[in-house]
């Protein structure tokens, strides 16, 4: 009986120790643009980590930037978190640009992998710069961003002067420069090195001293859910632009060749999906009008040949609309590698395919 009792006691003790093992949740932003989907991803898993009393949440980040509203929502969640949030700029060659800078600054601990950089957080409005925005509004937006940056810096005890340089002058810092200036807490080769480096580190969390104890904690890597992956892809400017353009090409084909069905259905689905992305992304609707006008000019050229007059106007309008389609930083612009091929496809589709079929029907 004594042996049986001892065995059961050891078994229960081992079970309890195994069941109480801490788990560090690790999220990964893989070169994603910061948008409502990435906010949902971070917020949802941060709440789960708090509910499960996890010792910490790590965000491995590599981003070119993103939407201001989503960035503000994420930093608010991090600043009010009940557990430590560690941001790790990763992997080698990665960056925490623009929105990523504020997410990193608002974290309890900020680390970087070798050959990474952080910064370039200047607010961008209009067509790639201040554009048509008046000086008063420019000043207002800059002051608002700087006040926000100052509050984040003070709460996390990070140097405000360097964040101000990142915002006002679009400066960026390598991991070595950031470490020397006190912007980051450490440089880590990989996630395991990061965990060992911050273990036993003491810092303030909601006016209380917290000591990290995560060296022996389990690691749970959490990816975007299937739904989030789909929505995140749909919110990419290049894909939204592609869907919008292909949708209209499909509708043009259906209107000029009624009875096929599939091009029209596919076109409507593409356009509806594109407008979902447009409802989130900072769209310049002058760009939308220019793209539609360009496609209309190309159709007119097929119906009433004008020796290239409408075709030329269509190409110019289409390219201008493509360049003007999204307002904001370069990360939210349509890539030229998409604009040029799609312009060629639009011209070929309307002038040659649609035009030739119309000529045959007229004959």
């Amino acid at each position: 009986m004594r042996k049986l009792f001892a065995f059961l006691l050891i078994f229960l003790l081992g079970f309890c120790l195994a069941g109480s093992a801490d788990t560090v949740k690790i999220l990964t932003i893989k070169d994603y643009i910061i948008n409502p989907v990435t906010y949902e991803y971070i917020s949802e898993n941060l709440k789960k980590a708090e509910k499960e009393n996890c010792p910490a949440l790590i965000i491995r980040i590599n981003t070119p930037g993103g939407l201001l509203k989503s960035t503000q929502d994420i930093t608010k969640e991090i600043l009010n978190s009940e557990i430590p949030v560690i941001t790790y700029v990763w992997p080698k060659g990665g960056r925490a640009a623009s929105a990523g800078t504020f997410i990193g600054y608002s974290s309890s601990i900020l680390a970087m992998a070798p050959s990474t950089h952080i910064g370039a957080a200047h607010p961008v409005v209009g067509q790639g710069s201040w554009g048509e925005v008046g000086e008063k509004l420019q000043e207002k937006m800059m002051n608002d961003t700087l006040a926000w940056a100052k509050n984040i810096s003070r709460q996390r005890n990070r140097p405000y002067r360097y964040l101000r340089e990142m915002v006002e002058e679009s400066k960026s810092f390598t991991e070595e420069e950031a470490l020397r200036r006190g912007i980051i807490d450490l440089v880590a080769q990989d996630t395991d090195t990061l965990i060992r480096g911050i273990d036993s580190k003491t810092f303030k969390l909601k006016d209380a001293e917290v000591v990290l104890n995560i060296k022996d904690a389990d690691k749970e890597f959490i990816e975007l859910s299937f739904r989030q992956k789909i929505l995140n892809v749909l919110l990419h400017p290049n894909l939204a632009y592609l869907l919008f353009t292909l949708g209209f090409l499909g509708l043009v084909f259906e209107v000029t060749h009624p009875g096929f069905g599939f091009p029209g259905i596919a076109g409507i689905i593409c356009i509806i999906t594109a407008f979902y992305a447009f409802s989130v992304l900072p769209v310049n609707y002058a760009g939308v009008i220019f793209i539609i006008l360009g496609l209309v000019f190309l159709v007119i050229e097929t119906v009433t040949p004008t020796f290239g007059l409408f075709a030329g106007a269509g190409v110019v309008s289409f390219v201008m609309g493509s360049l003007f389609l999204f307002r904001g930083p370069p990360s939210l612009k349509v890539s030229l590698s998409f604009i040029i091929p799609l312009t060629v496809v639009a011209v070929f589709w309307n002038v040659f395919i649609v035009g030739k079929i119309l000529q045959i029907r007229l004959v």
Side-chain angles (χ1 to χ4, degrees):
M1 288 298 291
R2 288 179 180 177
K3 288 182 179 180
L4 180 60
F5 179 80
F7 175 79
L8 290 174
L9 185 62
I10 292 171
F11 177 80
L12 289 173
L13 181 61
F15 180 82
C16 290
L17 289 174
S20 63
D22 292 325
T23 301
V24 175
K25 293 185 182 293
I26 302 175
L27 312 183
T28 306
I29 297 177
K30 304 174 182 177
D31 203 22
Y32 304 147
I33 292 172
I34 302 301
N35 57 43
V37 176
T38 49
Y39 163 66
E40 179 189 294
Y41 170 56
I42 292 173
S43 176
E44 182 180 276
N45 286 290
L46 180 55
K47 286 181 172 61
K48 284 182 182 178
E50 290 174 339
K51 188 176 181 180
E52 296 172 14
N53 293 316
C54 294
L57 175 81
I58 296 176
I59 302 174
R60 300 190 299 185
I61 189 168
N62 175 27
T63 180
L67 302 176
L68 179 62
K69 177 65 168 61
S70 300
T71 306
Q72 290 174 332
D73 289 340
I74 291 171
T75 58
K76 185 164 58 178
E77 293 276 353
I78 293 173
L79 290 171
N80 290 284
S81 171
E82 296 177 1
I83 64 171
V85 176
I86 297 101
T87 294
Y88 178 38
V89 185
W90 173 91
K92 292 180 180 180
R95 56 182 169 166
S98 190
T101 303
F102 291 103
I103 293 172
Y105 246 75
S106 65
S107 301
S108 305
I109 295 174
L110 174 57
M112 296 174 69
S115 302
T116 55
H117 62 275
I118 186 170
H122 190 289
V124 181
V125 182
Q127 300 306 321
S129 64
W130 289 111
E132 300 298 324
V133 178
E135 290 185 8
K136 289 291 184 183
L137 184 55
Q138 295 177 31
E139 184 180 355
K140 178 181 177 180
M141 295 187 67
M142 179 60 76
N143 289 338
D144 181 69
T145 303
L146 289 174
W148 177 44
K150 184 181 289 186
N151 284 333
I152 292 174
S153 301
R154 285 177 176 173
Q155 185 156 344
R156 292 308 189 198
N157 196 28
R158 302 192 191 281
Y160 168 64
R161 59 174 290 194
Y162 300 120
L163 182 54
R164 180 167 187 157
E165 288 178 5
M166 294 183 216
V167 172
E168 288 189 324
E169 304 170 30
S170 292
K171 279 194 175 181
S172 291
F173 298 97
T174 65
E175 79 285 356
E176 293 179 352
E177 294 170 336
L179 185 62
R180 284 199 303 268
R181 288 166 172 78
I183 296 171
I184 65 174
D185 299 285
L186 75 157
V187 175
Q189 290 283 341
D190 51 37
T191 306
D192 290 333
T193 307
L194 168 68
I195 290 174
R196 289 194 299 269
I198 62 178
D199 186 62
S200 302
K201 187 175 179 64
T202 303
F203 57 92
K204 277 191 174 183
L205 185 67
K206 287 194 172 182
D207 300 323
E209 291 289 334
V210 176
V211 179
L212 274 177
N213 183 20
I214 60 173
K215 185 174 63 175
D216 299 318
D218 294 330
K219 296 187 290 291
E220 181 185 357
F221 294 87
I222 303 172
E223 300 287 339
L224 291 174
S225 67
F226 180 71
R227 168 184 156 277
Q228 289 170 340
K229 286 179 180 178
I230 292 175
L231 293 179
N232 191 52
V233 170
L234 291 177
L235 288 179
H236 196 286
N238 286 338
L239 184 60
Y241 164 71
L242 180 65
L243 288 171
F244 179 71
T245 305
L246 293 181
F248 264 94
L249 290 177
L251 289 181
V252 166
F253 189 88
E254 188 64 37
V255 170
T256 53
H257 308 82
F260 280 88
F262 176 75
I265 294 171
I268 291 172
I269 292 172
C270 286
I271 289 175
I272 292 173
T273 307
F275 272 104
Y276 160 73
F278 288 174
S279 69
V280 176
L281 297 170
V283 175
N284 181 351
Y285 284 99
V288 175
I289 294 171
F290 267 120
I291 290 175
I292 295 173
L293 189 63
L295 294 174
V296 169
F297 280 155
L298 291 175
V299 172
I300 292 174
E301 179 68 30
T302 65
V303 179
T304 56
T306 57
F307 305 100
L309 177 63
F310 278 102
V315 169
V316 171
S317 296
F318 186 83
V319 172
M320 285 179 61
S322 303
L323 293 172
F324 295 162
L325 186 57
F326 296 110
R327 296 174 283 110
S331 60
L332 294 176
K333 296 291 186 182
V334 179
S335 171
L336 280 174
S337 62
F338 269 72
I339 293 175
I340 295 172
L342 210 51
T343 302
V344 174
V345 168
V347 172
F348 181 78
W349 181 264
N350 284 286
V351 176
F352 292 97
I353 303 297
V354 175
K356 291 297 181 183
I357 295 177
L358 281 176
Q359 288 176 13
I360 293 172
R361 288 200 169 192
L362 290 173
V363 172

